[in-house]
C-alpha cells in the first residue's frame, strides 16, 4: 500500500482545541483539548452520554462543533461532512456497520470514492479486483461479489475497515466495535488493529470494556458529562481509578443496601419461544425482587420483554402474572393485568414528543382521568401534579411539550405514567440510557423503592455495574437463550460476561422481520 | 422539588428550564385562528366585490352545495389527526347512493334502501380498515385504490343512467328550513358540535391525537391503536353513505358519477382548517370554520363573476398556502 504521507510514530496527527457541542441548547461536550499521535491506539471511555461518541462524530464530520477547532498535522481544517473527513483521511466505523445491504461487498467498498465522470461506465472489473486486494491485505477471507446482507456483523466491520484502508485513512475511529462480536472475532479484529497501528496509523477505540482497553490500547482518555477528565498512558492507571474517573465517584456507593422481603412469584415465564429471536425462555420474578437481564446487544433481551408485554407476542410458551396464566396479545391487556414496560427507545416508543407533559403522564390511565369516557381536567391535573412532585420532575409547566425536557426528566415522566397504573410487575429496558449521572443515582434509588413497595422488577441493562449494584439476581441471555441465573453472590462482571458471549462461534444475525 | 436541585447541579444549565409560551402566543399559533382570520377577510372581500353577497340567507343556501363534503370532512379530520387518510370517501358516497337507488328500484322502499346504503358504507369503511390495519398497507395508496374500485362498482351496479323517481318527501332536503335555516346547515352545526366535544374532551378523542403523534408510543402506552383506527375508517364509510343519501335527496336522483372529485374538496376543507397532514394535530372547530371559508370563497367568486376555471386556480393555491401555513406553525411550535 502506498501512502501519501508518512508519519513517524509519536508525531501529533490531529489536535482538537476547545471543542464544544450543543444539542437543542444542551451542552453535551465542553472545551475538549486532545491530541492524537501517529501510531497509537487511543481509547475513549466514559458512560453513555458522556460525550465520547459525540466527539468521535465531530472528528469524522458527522456533527459540526458549536465551538472549537481541529488541526491536521498543524494545519487548521474544517470537517463539515463525512466525505470531507474521508478525503482528509479520517474514517468512522460505526458500531452497527452502516452499509447498503443489497449492494455487494465490492460496491460497498468503493462507496464515496470518485468514480470518474457521471455518465462514464462503471469499471466493474477494476472495482472487483481492488476489493479483492483490500481483503487480501487484511488477511481475511470474504467473497467480494456477495451482498453485504449475508455477512456477519464481524465481517461487515471488516469490510468497513477495508474501506477505510482503501481510501488510505490515517485516522480510524471505531465506535464500540467489539460489542456484537464473539471472542474469536474480537481477537481477529485486535490483530488487524495492531497491524494498522504498526503501519503508523492512528486508531481511536471507543469501548465500555476496560479489559479490552487494557489489552489493546496505548493511551486512554476519559469523558464524563461532556468534559474530558483524564488523558494518559493506559499502563499508568488501574481499573478502579478509571471507573472512578468515569462515574465521578466510587461504584460501591451505588450498591443497594436494602433488605426487602422477597414474596411470592409475581411474573412467571415458561418456555417462551419466538423463532429467530429467542427460544426456551423460562424464569420467574418475585414480589420485591429486582432481577437483572444481562447480555450483549442482539442477545434477544428486548425481544423477550416485548413479548411479555404483548408488543410482539411469542409464538409459544406461557406467561403468568400473580399465578394467573395469561395470553397477552396486546399491551392493553398486559397493562390490565398489572404489567408495565419502560421501553429502550424512549424517543420513539416512550414519549409523545410534541404533546404536553401532562398528557404524556396520564396516557396509560384513561379510566382514571375520564371516569365516564370524558376527561375531567381537574382530575387529570391533580394526578399529573402529584406524579411530578413525587418523581421530582423538573419542568416549567405541565402544558410544556415533553420533548423540551431533558432525557432524565422525560424518563421520569414515563415512569410516572406507569406508576399511575399501579403495576405489580415493572419491566425496564435500559432505563438509564442517555441520562445524566446525577439523575441516574436518583433512578437507582427509585428502582430500589419500587421493589421495596412489593413490585417485581425486571431490569434490562447493558451496563453491568448497574446490574451488579441493583439486582438480587441476574439472568444472562446469549443468542436468544437464557444461559445463566446468577444469585447476587455469584454475580461478578467476569461470570456474567462469560455467559453472555456466544458459544457457538457463529454470529446469528437477528434479522428484523 | 427542592431535592432535585443538589442532585442535578452538575448537569448543564438546560432545556428543562424552558419557559412556557405566553397565552396570547398559544392562541395565535392555533391553526384555526388563521382559518378564522381568513374567513373574516374573505367575507369582507366578497361583500366588497358584490353587494349581493352580504345576504346571510344567500350564504346559507350556497352552503347546501358543499354541505355533503363538509360533513364528511369532519370525520376525515379525525382520520388525518390519527395519522391516516381516506381518499375514497366521495366514491363511497357514489357506491352507497347507487346501491340505495338500485335497492329502491328493486322495491325495497326508502327505509330498506337507506339501510342497504348505510350498511354498504360500514362495509366499505371496514374494507379500507382491513387493508390498512391488517394488511399493514399505507392508507394513501389503499384509499386511492378503493377510490377507483368503489367508483367502478357503482358504475357496474347502477349503469350509466340516472336512477330517480324517489318519493317527494325524500327529495329536496336543501329546500327545507327550520326557522329560516336550511336543514343541512342545522345538521352540520349539530354534527360539528357533537364531534367537537367528542374529539376535544373524550378519552378516545385524546387517544386519537396520541396515535397521530406517535403510533408506536401509543401502542406502548396501552392504547388500542388498531381498534380506534378501524373505528375511524368505519365511521368514514358510514358518514360517506349518509352524505350519499343527502346528495341523493338534494339531486333527486343518483348516478355512478355522484360527487366525482369530492375527495379533493374534503381534503381541502380539512387542510384549510389547520389540521396537520402528518397527524397529531387539528380540530373540529378548524374544519367547521374552513367549510364556511370554502363556501364564502367559492360563492364570493361566483357572484363576482370570476370564471369557473379561475376559481379552480384560486382553490388550488389556497390548498397549497394552507398546507404551508399549518406546516410552518407546527414546525415552529415543535421547535
Amino acid at each position: 500500500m502506498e501512502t501519501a504521507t508518512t508519519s513517524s510514530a509519536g508525531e501529533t496527527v490531529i489536535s482538537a482545541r476547545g471543542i464544544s457541542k450543543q444539542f437543542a441548547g444542551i451542552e453535551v461536550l465542553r472545551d475538549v483539548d486532545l491530541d492524537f499521535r501517529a501510531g497509537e491506539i487511543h481509547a475513549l471511555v466514559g458512560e453513555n452520554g458522556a460525550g465520547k461518541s459525540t466527539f468521535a462524530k465531530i472528528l469524522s464530520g458527522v456533527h459540526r462543533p458549536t465551538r472549537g477547532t481541529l488541526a491536521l498535522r498543524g494545519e487548521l481544517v474544517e470537517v463539515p461532512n463525512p466525505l470531507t473527513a474521508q478525503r482528509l483521511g479520517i474514517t468512522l466505523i460505526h458500531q452497527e456497520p452502516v452499509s447498503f445491504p443489497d449492494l455487494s461487498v465490492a460496491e460497498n467498498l468503493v462507496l464515496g470514492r470518485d468514480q470518474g465522470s457521471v455518465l462514464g461506465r462503471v469499471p466493474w472489473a477494476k472495482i472487483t479486483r481492488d476489493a479483492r486486494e483490500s481483503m487480501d491485505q487484511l488477511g481475511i477471507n470474504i467473497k467480494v461479489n456477495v451482498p453485504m446482507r449475508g455477512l456477519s456483523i464481524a465481517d461487515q466491520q471488516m469490510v468497513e475497515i477495508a474501506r477505510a484502508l482503501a481510501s488510505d485513512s490515517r485516522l480510524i475511529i471505531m465506535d464500540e466495535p467489539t460489542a456484537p462480536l464473539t471472542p474469536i472475532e474480537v481477537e481477529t479484529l485486535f490483530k488487524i488493529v495492531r497491524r494498522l497501528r504498526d503501519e503508523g496509523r492512528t486508531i481511536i477505540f471507543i469501548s465500555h470494556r476496560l479489559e479490552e482497553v487494557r489489552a489493546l490500547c496505548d493511551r486512554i482518555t476519559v469523558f464524563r458529562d461532556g468534559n474530558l477528565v483524564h488523558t494518559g498512558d493506559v499502563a499508568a492507571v488501574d481499573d478502579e481509578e478509571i471507573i472512578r474517573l468515569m462515574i465521578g465517584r466510587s461504584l460501591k456507593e451505588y450498591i443497594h443496601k436494602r433488605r426487602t422481603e422477597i414474596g411470592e412469584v409475581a411474573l412467571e415465564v415458561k418456555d417462551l419461544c419466538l423463532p429467530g429471536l429467542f427460544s426456551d425462555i423460562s424464569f420467574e420474578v418475585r414480589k420485591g425482587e429486582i432481577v437483572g437481564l444481562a447480555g450483549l446487544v442482539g442477545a434477544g433481551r428486548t425481544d423477550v420483554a416485548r413479548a411479555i408485554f404483548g408488543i410482539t407476542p411469542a409464538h409459544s410458551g406461557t406467561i403468568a402474572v400473580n399465578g394467573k396464566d395469561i395470553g397477552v396479545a396486546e399491551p392493553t391487556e398486559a397493562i390490565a393485568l398489572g404489567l408495565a414496560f419502560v421501553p429502550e427507545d424512549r424517543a420513539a416508543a416512550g414519549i409523545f414528543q410534541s404533546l404536553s407533559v401532562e398528557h404524556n403522564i396520564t396516557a396509560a390511565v384513561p379510566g382514571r382521568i375520564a371516569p365516564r369516557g370524558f376527561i375531567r381536567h381537574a382530575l387529570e391535573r391533580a394526578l399529573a401534579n402529584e406524579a411530578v412532585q413525587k418523581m421530582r420532575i423538573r419542568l416549567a409547566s405541565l402544558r410544556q411539550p415533553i420533548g423540551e425536557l431533558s432525557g432524565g426528566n422525560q424518563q421520569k415522566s414515563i415512569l410516572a405514567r406507569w406508576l399511575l397504573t399501579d403495576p405489580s410487575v415493572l419491566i425496564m429496558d435500559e432505563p438509564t440510557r442517555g441520562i445524566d449521572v446525577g439523575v441516574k443515582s436518583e433512578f437507582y434509588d427509585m428502582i430500589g423503592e419500587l421493589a421495596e413497595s412489593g413490585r417485581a422488577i425486571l431490569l434490562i441493562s447493558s451496563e453491568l455495574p448497574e446490574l451488579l449494584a441493583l439486582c438480587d439476581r441476574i439472568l444472562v441471555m446469549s443468542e436468544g437463550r437464557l444461559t445463566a441465573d446468577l444469585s447476587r453472590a455469584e454475580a461478578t462482571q467476569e461470570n456474567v460476561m462469560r455467559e453472555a458471549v456466544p458459544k457457538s462461534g457463529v454470529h446469528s444475525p437477528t434479522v428484523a422481520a | 422539588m427542592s431535592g432535585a436541585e443538589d442532585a442535578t447541579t452538575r448537569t448543564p444549565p438546560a432545556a428543562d428550564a424552558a419557559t412556557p409560551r405566553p397565552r396570547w402566543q398559544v392562541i395565535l399559533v392555533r391553526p384555526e385562528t388563521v382559518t378564522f382570520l381568513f374567513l373574516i377577510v374573505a367575507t369582507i372581500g366578497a361583500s366588497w366585490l358584490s353587494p349581493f353577497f352580504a345576504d346571510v340567507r344567500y350564504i346559507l343556501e350556497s352552503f347546501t352545495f358543499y354541505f355533503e363534503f363538509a360533513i364528511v370532512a369532519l370525520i376525515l379530520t379525525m382520520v388525518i389527526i390519527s395519522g391516516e387518510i381516506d381518499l375514497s370517501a366521495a366514491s363511497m358516497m357514489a357506491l352507497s347512493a347507487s346501491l340505495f337507488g338500485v335497492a329502491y328500484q328493486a322495491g325495497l322502499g326508502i327505509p330498506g334502501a337507506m339501510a342497504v346504503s348505510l350498511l354498504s358504507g360500514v362495509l366499505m369503511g371496514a374494507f379500507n380498515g382491513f387493508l390498512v390495519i391488517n394488511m399493514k398497507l399505507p392508507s394513501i395508496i389503499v384509499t386511492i385504490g378503493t377510490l377507483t374500485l368503489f367508483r367502478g362498482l357503482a358504475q357496474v351496479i347502477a349503469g350509466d343512467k340516472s336512477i330517480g323517481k324517489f318519493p317527494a318527501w325524500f327529495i329536496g332536503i336543501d329546500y327545507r328550513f327550520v326557522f329560516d335555516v336550511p336543514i343541512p346547515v342545522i345538521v352540520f352545526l349539530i354534527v360539528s358540535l357533537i364531534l367537537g366535544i367528542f374529539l376535544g374532551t373524550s378519552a378516545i378523542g385524546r387517544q386519537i391525537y396520541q396515535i397521530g403523534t406517535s403510533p408506536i408510543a401509543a401502542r406502548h402506552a396501552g392504547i388500542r391503536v388498531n381498534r380506534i383506527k378501524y373505528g375511524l375508517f368505519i365511521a368514514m364509510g358510514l358518514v360517506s353513505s349518509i352524505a350519499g343519501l343527502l346528495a341523493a335527496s338534494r339531486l333527486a336522483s343518483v348516478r355512478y358519477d355522484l360527487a366525482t372529485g369530492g375527495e379533493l374538496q374534503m381534503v381541502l376543507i380539512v387542510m384549510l382548517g389547520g389540521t396537520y397532514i402528518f397527524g397529531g394535530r387539528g380540530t373540529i372547530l378548524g374544519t367547521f370554520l374552513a367549510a364556511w371559508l370554502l363556501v364564502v370563497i367559492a360563492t364570493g367568486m361566483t357572484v363576482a363573476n370570476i370564471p369557473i376555471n379561475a376559481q379552480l386556480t384560486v382553490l388550488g393555491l389556497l390548498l397549497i398556502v394552507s398546507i404551508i401555513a399549518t406546516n410552518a406553525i407546527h414546525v415552529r411550535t415543535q421547535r
Side-chain angles (χ1 to χ4, degrees):
Chain A
M1 160 147 286
E2 48 186 22
T3 51
T5 45
T6 46
S7 336
S8 58
E11 179 198 345
T12 296
V13 175
I14 190 161
S15 46
R17 287 292 173 268
I19 294 287
S20 304
K21 179 70 187 173
Q22 289 192 348
F23 285 120
I26 304 171
E27 201 155 53
V28 294
L29 208 56
R30 253 186 310 282
D31 292 320
V32 173
D33 295 342
L34 189 52
D35 292 334
F36 295 101
R37 300 169 188 161
E40 74 165 342
I41 304 176
H42 195 128
L44 298 187
V45 299
E47 290 195 291
N48 290 331
K52 52 192 195 309
S53 287
T54 308
F55 182 67
K57 284 180 179 159
I58 286 173
L59 285 181
S60 56
V62 177
H63 293 323
R64 303 195 66 168
T66 318
R67 285 196 310 278
T69 57
L70 292 175
L72 197 64
R73 291 183 205 87
E75 264 177 72
L76 281 185
V77 287
E78 289 268 313
V79 192
N81 54 51
L83 200 58
T84 313
Q86 205 170 78
R87 296 224 173 92
L88 292 168
I90 303 168
T91 303
L92 172 66
I93 293 170
H94 294 268
Q95 177 182 6
E96 308 277 323
V98 276
S99 53
F100 294 83
D102 291 318
L103 295 185
S104 74
V105 171
E107 283 169 296
N108 271 285
L109 270 177
V110 298
L111 278 174
R113 267 200 285 163
D114 281 338
Q115 288 297 323
S117 70
V118 178
L119 293 173
R121 280 189 60 235
V122 180
W124 289 114
K126 184 176 179 305
I127 288 175
T128 311
R129 203 171 52 237
D130 286 359
R132 222 167 258 140
E133 244 169 57
S134 324
M135 291 298 157
D136 290 347
Q137 267 179 12
L138 283 175
I140 44 181
N141 186 20
I142 297 173
K143 286 203 182 78
V144 297
N145 52 1
V146 298
M148 281 293 260
R149 194 184 285 289
L151 267 50
S152 70
I153 299 275
D155 286 348
Q156 290 185 33
Q157 272 186 1
M158 292 304 163
V159 173
E160 295 239 344
I161 293 173
R163 183 152 103 203
L165 297 184
S167 60
D168 194 26
S169 285
R170 305 306 298 171
L171 177 65
I172 299 170
I173 306 165
M174 307 179 120
D175 194 353
E176 301 204 31
T178 57
L181 303 187
T182 65
I184 302 153
E185 292 168 333
V186 168
E187 263 319 302
T188 317
L189 177 75
F190 280 12
K191 241 180 258 165
I192 289 167
V193 169
R194 287 196 189 98
R195 230 177 65 206
L196 297 175
R197 169 189 58 192
D198 296 340
E199 288 172 17
R201 294 174 211 270
T202 310
I203 288 93
I204 298 179
F205 185 82
I206 301 177
S207 180
H208 273 309
R209 301 183 189 163
L210 294 184
E211 63 279 8
E212 289 178 1
V213 169
R214 218 159 263 298
L216 187 68
C217 301
D218 307 308
R219 290 203 300 154
I220 181 168
T221 293
V222 185
F223 283 88
R224 184 175 75 227
D225 275 344
N227 295 308
L228 191 163
V229 292
H230 173 85
T231 295
D233 287 339
V234 172
V237 282
D238 61 17
D239 286 2
E240 184 86 5
E241 176 69 4
I242 295 173
I243 291 173
R244 200 190 57 75
L245 287 165
M246 271 166 52
I247 63 178
R249 73 191 79 175
S250 174
L251 241 190
K252 293 183 183 105
E253 288 172 39
Y254 280 146
I255 294 199
H256 217 65
K257 294 187 190 71
R258 75 194 169 84
R259 255 318 335 135
T260 311
E261 288 294 303
I262 289 178
E264 296 146 40
V265 175
L267 172 69
E268 188 181 11
V269 172
K270 235 188 231 144
D271 302 324
L272 222 52
C273 278
L274 186 54
L277 293 174
F278 56 80
S279 53
D280 302 330
I281 304 292
S282 303
F283 64 86
E284 49 184 50
V285 185
R286 294 170 171 271
K287 286 181 179 158
E289 194 180 29
I290 305 177
V291 174
L293 189 48
L296 301 179
V297 173
R301 296 171 299 167
T302 296
D303 302 304
V304 169
R306 287 162 58 90
I308 295 172
F309 196 61
I311 293 163
T312 9
H315 277 195
S316 59
T318 57
I319 300 165
V321 176
N322 295 327
K324 263 187 294 179
D325 265 12
I326 53 164
V328 178
E330 272 288 327
T332 325
E333 295 159 19
I335 293 166
L337 292 159
L339 287 171
F341 178 45
V342 176
E344 177 185 21
D345 188 351
R346 181 171 59 239
I351 59 167
F352 299 99
Q353 194 94 22
S354 58
L355 298 186
S356 69
V357 179
E358 180 178 18
H359 292 189
N360 267 283
I361 289 178
T362 60
V365 285
R368 288 184 72 180
I369 58 168
R372 284 190 190 79
F374 289 90
I375 292 166
R376 285 168 55 192
H377 290 278
L379 209 58
E380 178 174 30
R381 184 54 52 102
L383 277 179
N385 250 328
E386 194 190 329
V388 165
Q389 305 277 326
K390 203 155 70 187
M391 308 294 287
R392 298 197 293 268
I393 300 169
R394 289 184 61 193
L395 38 58
S397 150
L398 274 174
R399 293 204 317 267
Q400 195 175 12
I402 197 167
E404 292 178 1
L405 303 190
S406 69
N409 284 308
Q410 288 179 7
Q411 193 69 301
K412 283 184 184 178
S413 306
I414 300 296
L415 205 50
R417 176 195 290 171
W418 290 122
L419 292 189
L420 287 180
T421 69
D422 194 21
S424 52
V425 179
L426 190 55
I427 304 169
M428 295 191 242
D429 196 354
E430 306 281 2
T432 62
R433 175 175 286 178
I435 285 178
D436 300 317
V437 180
V439 184
K440 250 186 208 180
S441 59
E442 266 188 78
F443 257 96
Y444 296 150
D445 291 342
M446 263 177 225
I447 293 170
E449 279 165 29
L450 288 174
E452 271 169 58
S453 67
R455 300 178 210 276
I457 293 174
L458 182 64
L459 178 65
I460 300 177
S461 175
S462 292
E463 292 182 44
L464 261 185
E466 185 172 290
L467 289 180
L468 293 171
L470 283 170
C471 297
D472 299 302
R473 254 179 331 123
I474 296 182
L475 305 169
V476 188
M477 275 189 78
S478 174
E479 295 180 299
R481 284 167 190 279
L482 270 183
T483 49
D485 180 347
L486 305 168
S487 70
R488 169 173 266 179
E490 300 165 303
T492 61
Q493 197 129 2
E494 294 73 37
N495 284 345
V496 173
M497 281 316 292
R498 190 178 313 127
E499 301 294 343
V501 293
K503 296 287 184 301
S504 63
V506 188
H507 189 87
S508 60
T510 45
V511 182
Chain B
M1 282 198 286
S2 61
E5 244 79 275
D6 27 15
T8 47
T9 37
R10 282 185 309 119
T11 61
D16 47 1
T19 47
R21 241 173 282 280
R23 188 147 205 121
W24 64 267
Q25 229 181 346
V26 172
I27 292 169
L28 198 68
V29 299
R30 289 191 74 90
E32 62 264 31
T33 313
V34 178
T35 314
F36 188 61
L37 293 177
F38 268 160
L39 182 56
I40 290 171
V41 171
T43 311
I44 293 171
S47 330
W48 180 71
L49 280 171
S50 162
F52 301 112
F53 180 80
D55 175 1
V56 175
R57 197 181 161 104
Y58 177 65
I59 298 180
L60 290 182
E61 275 175 31
S62 311
F63 182 75
T64 56
F65 294 109
Y66 294 91
F67 151 68
E68 292 123 23
F69 296 154
I71 207 165
V72 178
L74 293 171
I75 302 282
L76 183 61
T77 304
M78 305 206 291
V79 172
I80 293 180
I81 291 172
S82 81
E84 302 290 347
I85 196 163
D86 188 342
L87 296 175
S88 69
S91 295
M92 291 197 282
M93 283 172 67
L95 180 50
S96 60
S98 297
L99 281 168
F100 166 78
V102 169
Y104 177 70
Q105 273 192 330
L108 237 56
I110 293 288
M114 281 169 95
V116 167
S117 159
L118 297 180
L119 181 68
S120 74
V122 169
L123 290 177
M124 286 185 277
F127 183 60
N128 278 334
F130 171 78
L131 291 176
V132 172
I133 293 148
N134 297 69
M135 308 295 286
K136 297 186 172 40
L137 299 170
S139 53
I140 186 155
I141 301 302
V142 164
T143 58
I144 286 176
T146 53
L147 175 159
T148 320
L149 172 70
F150 295 153
R151 181 75 64 185
L153 279 175
Q155 198 170 2
V156 169
I157 288 167
D160 287 346
K161 59 186 191 306
S162 293
I163 301 173
K165 302 205 183 72
F166 300 126
W169 66 265
F170 177 78
I171 55 180
I173 192 162
D174 52 326
Y175 281 105
R176 292 175 203 200
F177 301 86
V178 176
F179 301 119
D180 263 8
V181 181
I183 284 181
V185 174
I186 292 175
V187 171
F188 182 61
L189 279 172
I190 292 172
V191 174
S192 298
L193 201 64
I194 292 172
L195 290 179
I197 291 171
F198 172 75
L199 185 64
T201 68
S202 76
I204 292 177
R206 167 77 61 80
Q207 293 181 335
I208 290 173
Y209 284 100
Q210 287 168 332
I211 291 169
T213 306
S214 168
I216 300 171
R219 185 131 194 275
H220 279 79
I223 295 169
R224 292 185 182 273
V225 177
N226 289 349
R227 191 177 288 191
I228 289 174
K229 282 189 176 174
Y230 242 116
L232 287 171
F233 276 110
I234 289 172
M236 260 323 265
L238 187 61
V239 77
S240 298
S241 61
I242 292 171
L245 289 174
L246 292 164
S249 164
R250 180 166 62 82
L251 302 166
S253 70
V254 295
R255 234 173 76 132
Y256 79 93
D257 61 352
L258 175 137
T260 299
E263 55 279 344
L264 294 183
Q265 305 241 24
M266 296 167 193
V267 173
L268 176 65
I269 294 173
V270 178
M271 293 294 108
L272 277 179
T275 297
Y276 190 37
I277 187 70
F278 297 116
R281 295 182 181 213
T283 54
I284 293 292
L285 175 63
T287 303
F288 175 80
L289 292 173
W292 291 103
L293 174 59
L294 185 70
V295 170
V296 166
I297 291 172
T299 54
M301 287 192 294
T302 307
V303 294
N305 290 321
I306 294 173
I308 200 86
N309 24 11
Q311 290 191 13
L312 265 183
T313 315
V314 172
L315 289 182
L317 282 174
L318 207 59
L319 178 58
I320 291 168
V321 168
S322 67
I323 289 176
I324 293 173
T326 45
N327 243 318
I329 287 168
H330 291 317
V331 169
R332 269 184 81 90
T333 51
Q334 287 196 25
R335 307 205 326 160

